[in-house]
């Protein structure tokens, strides 16, 4: 629920709230891929592209075929000019 709320807050432009919810979700479940994605999105929204990419890669090691995370990683890579 926290990961989903984080993504919803991000979509509404609430960057601080998105990061807070993603961090809370990761404290409860550090390897929960939707929470890793939410935090990666929050990093990307703040221009923290290296941190976002690191989380994407960590999550994809856990679930290599996670479609939403693959999309997030692609977005981050595009923003990094890769």
């Amino acid at each position: 629920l926290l990961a989903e709320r984080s993504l919803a807050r991000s979509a509404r432009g609430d960057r601080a709230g998105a990061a807070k919810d993603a961090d809370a979700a990761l404290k409860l479940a550090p390897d929960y891929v939707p929470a890793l994605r939410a935090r990666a999105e929050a990093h990307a929204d703040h221009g923290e592209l290296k941190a976002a990419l690191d989380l994407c890669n960590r999550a994809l090691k856990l679930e290599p075929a996670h479609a939403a995370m693959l999309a997030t990683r692609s977005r981050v890579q595009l923003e990094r000019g890769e």
Side-chain angles (χ1 to χ4, degrees):
L1 182 61
L2 287 167
E4 291 176 12
R5 188 169 75 179
S6 173
L7 293 170
R9 284 182 167 188
S10 180
R12 288 193 325 259
D14 180 5
R15 293 179 182 174
K20 180 180 173 184
D21 283 346
D23 287 341
L26 287 170
K27 283 182 185 176
L28 295 171
D31 291 332
Y32 183 53
V33 172
L36 290 166
R37 177 176 171 247
R39 191 60 179 110
E41 290 280 352
H43 277 307
D45 289 345
H46 281 98
E48 300 162 350
L49 301 178
K50 170 82 168 87
L53 186 59
D54 289 346
L55 285 177
C56 290
N57 290 332
R58 177 177 153 198
L60 289 168
K61 284 180 183 176
L62 298 168
E63 289 188 42
H66 193 281
M69 183 53 84
L70 288 166
T72 297
R73 184 175 68 178
S74 293
R75 171 190 160 213
V76 171
Q77 287 173 320
L78 282 172
E79 290 181 19
R80 286 173 48 101
E82 296 177 7

